[in-house]
Structures are given as structure tokens and as C-alpha cells.
Amino acid sequence: MSRIPFLRSALVAGAAATALLLSGCVAGEGQAAEPEPTSTASGEAVSLEGQTLNIDFATYNPLSLVIKDQGWLEDAGLTVNWVQSAGSNKANEALRAGAIDVGSTAGSAALLARSNGSPIQVIDIFSQPEWSALVAPDGSPITSVEDLKGKQVAATKGTDPYFFLLQSLEAEGLEASDITVQNLQHADGWAALQNGSVDAWAGLDPIMAGAEEQGANLFYRNVDFNSYGFLNATESFLADKPEVAQAVVDAYETARAWAAENPDETAEILAGVAGLDAAVASKVITERSNLDVDPVPGDAQVKVLEKIGPIFVELGDVPTQQQVDDALDTIINDEFVTKADAGRFS
């Protein structure tokens, strides 16, 4: 992939604002089981009873919704504070602020954050989605990337749709300076497209799937411009609570198996959280999420990120290539997923 102009990323919310997102412990709907102790690396049994976990859920991460709905972590004895992430940028802000221990982002956003000093590591790959596309309203004369020249485009900086937009421009011979980016959170971008304050939107599912159902046109799609779904954790959490981290990864792998066996129920959960019609939610789960992906982070993800990293440096989002290289060398932590028990919460 060639080097691509990249607009400066903006991470705007502070720790106090992020902390306000914290919600209370949410009990699951499944039948509670007796909490079982988890063994540490040394073999010592550690009970999860009474320990606290701050973790996000996001409509762009269906597995997180399944885990929250089923209540497996609570049934294991954990006190769980669930925080909704509106986008990768918000998850990164919460992770950096210490408002959450575990959060969902696109791979590109995780690399940007770690390159700039955020002490996070990817511990599980939750999906390989086609979750981004360029969107125009019904009846718009915009039908190609070339039509964006001189136009207003909504995108959430620091997220995969923003990176998708920049790659799309480069692929079709335009530069970032050829458009004006309105930095709006994903749902606000769709609202801006509807009210006519922008001409196009770099969309994110499942909001984008709902927009499509209402007549919006996904005029540019390219699955290769989407990076993987990363489940990230702070290094301090991994060091201080490895038994809780293992429970989280086990829950994710249980959820992956559950979603494969129950696609209709998974879509229903997504529809309820995201406020989508059942048909739209089903499209997101069955056509554009690809939850059946190798959960172990490794070469496949690094190869994608190696193409993205130099772009951050070129436009000043990361001061040096050495910072990107160091982040690439240290962002992966497969300790927990390689010993994940997908049947632990069955």
C-alpha cells in the first residue's frame, strides 16, 4: 500500500468526561453458576469473587454485547462496570484515563494510541469486519470518491472509518486537502448526513447498516481498507489481575462459539442495544462482522499495521517511526488467548 496523506488525529475527551460513562454492574440473563477459582501462572487458585472489572461494550463489537447480555462475568463472581464505547477513539480515551481495563478498538486506532505512549496491548481479535464504507444520502449526486472533491465529509478521527476515508481518497487520486473533514462521532456523522450539513459520511456499522436501510448509498466499499477488531487491555491490569484478564478472554471465546451457534439471537441482542430493525442487525452479523476469525493476534494483524504506521509519522500524528516500530514490537500479548477456554462459561 502506498503512503497516504493523513489528517492529524484528535483525541479530545479527558479522563473526567470518560469516567462519567461508567455504569453500574449489570446482571446477566442466564442462570447463575457457582463462581469457580481461577489458577494463576504459578498454579495458585485465585477466586474472582468480589474483584472488579471495568470493561467496555460497543455496537461495533457484537461479542461484547453477547457477554454483557449473558452475564457470564458476573456469574463468575466479578463486579463488572460496563462502559459503552461510541467509537475506537472513545475506547482509547477511556483506556488511557484508566476508566476501563479492557476496551474495543480498530487495529489502526490501537497502534496510534500505543505509538503515542498509551500502555495498552491487544489480547484478543474479536472480528475481521467490513465495518466501514463511504456513504451518501438517498438521491445524492455523489456516486464516486472523485465526486467528493470540494465537499464536506463527516468522519470520526482516530477510528477505522477515518482511516478508510483517507485510503479511499488516495486510491482514487485525491488528497486529504481536497475535502473538508467534519470531525464528528459516528452517530453524529449520520445525523449530519441526514440534515444536510455534510455531503458524505465515513460510516461505521451497525449505524451504517441502519442508514443503508433508510436509503443511504454506500457508494465506496473496500474490505481491504478495514483493519481488525482489537480487544485491548492496559498493561497494569494484565500485570495486576491476570486471572481476571483470563476470564475476560475466556468469555470472549465462549461468546464467539455462542454467536456461531446462535446467529439470530446474536442479531437480536445487537438490534436491542443499537436500536436497529432485526433485518438490519442480521445483515451486520451475517454479512459484515466475520466473527469466525483466528482470535490470536499475530502476523496477520502486524502486516496490516506495518502499512499504516508510517502514515502516522508522515503527517505528525506520531513524532517518530521508532515509536511506531516500538509499538509494533510490543502491542501484541497472546498470553491469555493461547490458553483460552471457550467452554468455560457454557
Side-chain angles (χ1 to χ4, degrees):
M1 183 181 299
S2 59
R3 294 161 71 86
I4 306 163
F6 196 92
L7 301 177
R8 184 174 301 277
S9 298
L11 298 177
V12 296
T18 305
L20 290 176
L21 292 172
L22 288 173
S23 62
C25 176
V26 180
E29 296 178 355
Q31 183 177 358
E34 285 295 323
E36 296 182 359
T38 300
S39 296
T40 64
S42 64
E44 179 184 358
V46 177
S47 174
L48 299 178
E49 189 72 35
Q51 295 203 60
T52 299
L53 168 67
N54 301 316
I55 187 171
D56 83 339
F57 68 101
T59 56
Y60 55 87
N61 178 358
L63 297 185
S64 70
L65 307 184
V66 170
I67 295 167
K68 184 174 183 290
D69 179 80
Q70 296 296 303
W72 294 318
L73 294 171
E74 292 86 350
D75 290 346
L78 289 168
T79 297
V80 183
N81 295 316
W82 288 100
V83 180
Q84 184 163 13
S85 291
S88 293
N89 60 328
K90 294 302 182 183
N92 274 330
E93 289 166 9
L95 284 162
R96 187 151 195 159
I100 57 175
D101 306 307
V102 182
S104 318
T105 75
S108 56
L111 177 63
L112 180 61
R114 182 153 184 105
S115 296
N116 282 317
S118 183
I120 60 171
Q121 292 184 306
V122 54
I123 58 173
D124 188 280
I125 302 300
F126 62 80
S127 69
Q128 184 186 16
E130 185 192 4
W131 53 18
S132 303
L134 300 185
V135 185
D138 185 26
S140 170
I142 295 174
T143 58
S144 68
V145 175
E146 291 91 337
D147 294 334
L148 293 178
K149 190 169 185 176
K151 297 298 193 295
Q152 301 272 336
V153 183
T156 308
K157 292 186 177 182
T159 70
D160 242 29
Y162 177 58
F163 183 66
F164 184 96
L165 169 64
L166 298 177
Q167 292 179 93
S168 303
L169 293 173
E170 192 274 343
E172 300 302 321
L174 297 183
E175 298 182 357
S177 59
D178 288 325
I179 67 170
T180 299
V181 173
Q182 294 291 338
N183 184 24
L184 300 172
Q185 206 59 47
H186 301 298
D188 296 330
W190 167 226
L193 190 70
Q194 290 175 287
N195 65 33
S197 57
V198 297
D199 302 294
W201 168 50
L204 179 73
D205 270 339
I207 303 169
M208 184 172 69
E212 188 179 21
E213 188 73 7
Q214 295 182 46
N217 176 32
L218 276 56
F219 67 88
Y220 189 84
R221 297 170 68 174
N222 188 329
V223 68
D224 292 335
F225 288 173
N226 295 262
S227 68
Y228 289 79
F230 277 28
L231 185 69
N232 308 306
T234 63
E235 290 181 322
S236 59
F237 168 71
L238 297 177
D240 296 342
K241 296 184 176 181
E243 66 284 352
V244 180
Q246 189 63 62
V248 169
V249 173
D250 289 350
Y252 261 83
E253 294 318 302
T254 303
R256 194 185 311 278
W258 190 94
E261 295 176 359
N262 303 278
D264 292 340
E265 291 87 341
T266 302
E268 287 176 7
I269 293 170
L270 174 61
V273 177
L276 298 173
D277 290 339
V280 176
S282 181
K283 174 185 287 189
V284 172
I285 294 301
T286 60
E287 297 181 17
R288 299 215 283 248
S289 292
N290 189 15
L291 303 176
D292 185 22
V293 63
D294 185 349
V296 181
D299 290 345
Q301 289 74 41
V302 170
K303 287 178 181 177
V304 173
L305 298 182
E306 284 176 339
K307 298 176 182 178
I308 298 171
I311 301 164
F312 299 152
V313 180
E314 184 176 330
L315 271 296
D317 292 305
V318 179
T320 69
Q321 182 62 39
Q322 187 61 52
Q323 288 174 243
V324 174
D325 293 342
D326 290 344
L328 284 169
D329 287 342
T330 56
I331 195 170
I332 288 176
N333 185 333
D334 64 2
E335 172 187 355
F336 303 97
V337 70
T338 54
K339 56 184 180 184
D341 179 3
R344 177 174 178 178
F345 298 104
S346 297

